[in-house]
Amino acid sequence: MPRPTPAQITYGSATVVLSALAMLLVSQARGGIGIAVIALASLALGLVVALALALPRTTGRGVRGTAAGAPGRRAPLPAETRMSEHSLHG
């Protein structure tokens, strides 16, 4: 299992604390069961946020001609298909 990154730990922890605080303030829970439900919900939300950071991102453009896995870079064209590169400054 891969180790979590510092960003995952930070965002997950901040989500747990802030969501628990917000839910406690909004619900005004005073009993043990209500607080336990809020704590479990905020832990689950923090886990979802931390795992969402681990998912690979896509650009949405669907570019397939990338060179050696470098995102956003296209593979160079073969020399036969390239046009001759002339300068406009002549």
Side-chain angles (χ1 to χ4, degrees):
M1 181 174 192
R3 298 181 73 181
T5 64
Q8 287 176 302
I9 294 171
T10 302
Y11 282 117
S13 299
T15 301
V16 169
V17 170
L18 293 177
S19 65
L21 182 64
M23 285 190 273
L24 285 171
L25 289 174
V26 169
S27 70
Q28 297 177 355
R30 304 227 187 271
I33 294 176
I35 293 173
V37 168
I38 289 174
L40 287 176
S42 61
L43 283 173
L45 187 60
L47 183 64
V48 167
V49 168
L51 290 177
L53 288 175
L55 296 177
R57 293 189 177 189
T58 59
T59 60
R61 288 190 282 168
V63 177
R64 295 224 177 230
T66 58
R73 270 183 152 172
R74 292 193 179 158
L77 294 173
E80 306 85 46
T81 59
R82 281 189 277 174
M83 295 177 60
S84 61
E85 300 174 5
H86 294 288
S87 173
L88 295 175
H89 301 290

